[in-house]
């Protein structure tokens, strides 16, 4: 089945450690995104990539890094510089179809907890 | 700049009541897309609807209906005869998009938590 797969579903990190969240899509979408969700805050954009080997910072990129070496994959690394990393992380991909518009799809999310 | 405002943080209704979730947006683009997503307690975002800025027709899908009004920059969502299974957080989102193909990012409102009590 086509879709977006995020792994792991739950992740625990010790303070000072870097962790990498995986996001893979087989929808052949060019654009991919990472969002962070905190209670009552909605979804905030961390990074996005509209093409392989290129990515842009979103609203809250500090303490995070990404790579886009393959169209299918957009991993997010939460570095030790991120002071409050405990949150729910959602990956998305999108495609723009002429005359139909933008379609965006989300993974099931990764819940990261700092212990 | 883009902005999406969902002024209702939480709404609680009794089953079978109708409920409307408000969404107001800001954008300078003439071409843009509006979305509603549902987030049940499990966390995944479930796509409900996409509306293009050049299509102001309202839409009905079963118990769900959407009212898009460009004059007031609003895209409200109504659930008729609500059910307990409708309990979730609902997000409105906006994307500006160049018709030539470049893709804008999805900007989300803060969400409205709907609780439907039996």
């Amino acid at each position: 089945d086509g879709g977006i797969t995020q792994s792991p579903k739950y992740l625990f990190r010790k303070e000072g450690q870097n962790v990498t969240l995986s996001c893979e899509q087989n929808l052949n979408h060019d654009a991919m995104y990472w969002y962070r969700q905190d209670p009552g805050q909605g979804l905030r954009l961390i990074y996005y990539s509209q093409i392989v080997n290129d990515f842009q910072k979103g609203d809250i990129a500090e303490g995070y890094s990404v790579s886009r070496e393959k169209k299918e994959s957009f991993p997010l690394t939460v570095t030790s510089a991120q002071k409050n990393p405990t949150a729910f992380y959602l990956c998305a991909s999108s495609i723009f179809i002429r005359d139909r518009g933008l379609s965006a799809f989300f993974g099931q999310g990764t819940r990261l907890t700092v212990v | 700049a883009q902005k999406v405002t969902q002024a209702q943080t939480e709404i609680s209704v009794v089953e079978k009541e109708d409920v409307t979730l408000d969404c107001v947006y800001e954008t300078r683009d003439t071409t843009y897309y509006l979305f509603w997503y549902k987030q049940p307690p499990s966390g995944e975002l479930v796509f409900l609807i996409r509306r293009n800025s050049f299509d102001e027709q309202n839409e009905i899908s079963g118990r769900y209906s959407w009212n898009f009004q460009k004059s007031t920059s609003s895209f409200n969502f109504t659930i008729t005869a609500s059910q307990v299974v409708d309990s979730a957080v609902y997000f409105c989102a906006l994307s500006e998009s160049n018709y030539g193909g470049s893709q804008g990012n999805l900007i989300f409102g803060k969400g409205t938590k709907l609780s439907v009590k039996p």
Side-chain angles (χ1 to χ4, degrees), chain A residues 84-95:
Chain A
N84 186 21
T86 295
F88 187 57
Y89 292 86
L90 281 159
C91 178
S93 70
S94 72
I95 187 169

Side-chain angles (χ1 to χ4, degrees), chain A residues 30-31 33 35 37 40-43 45 48 50 88 90 94-96 98-108, chain B residues 33 35 37 39 42-45 47 50 52 91 95 97-99 101-111:
Chain A
D30 287 320
Y33 313 81
Y35 291 89
Q37 185 178 16
Q41 293 291 324
L43 279 73
L45 183 64
Y48 65 98
Q50 299 211 359
F88 187 57
L90 281 159
S94 72
I95 187 169
F96 181 84
R98 189 180 179 91
D99 295 329
R100 287 182 59 188
L102 187 74
S103 291
F105 299 87
F106 285 80
Q108 293 199 319
Chain B
Y33 303 89
F35 302 78
Y37 287 88
Q39 187 179 44
S42 55
E44 77 273 21
L45 281 180
F47 169 79
R50 175 189 66 231
N52 304 333
F91 289 98
S95 176
S97 187
N98 183 313
Y99 189 74
S102 65
Q103 300 172 59
N105 301 316
L106 276 176
I107 303 300
F108 285 83
K110 292 191 175 183

Side-chain angles (χ1 to χ4, degrees), chain B residues 41-56:
Chain B
S42 55
E44 77 273 21
L45 281 180
V46 178
F47 169 79
L48 296 178
I49 190 171
R50 175 189 66 231
R51 176 59 72 213
N52 304 333
S53 55
F54 41 85
D55 180 3
E56 284 193 75

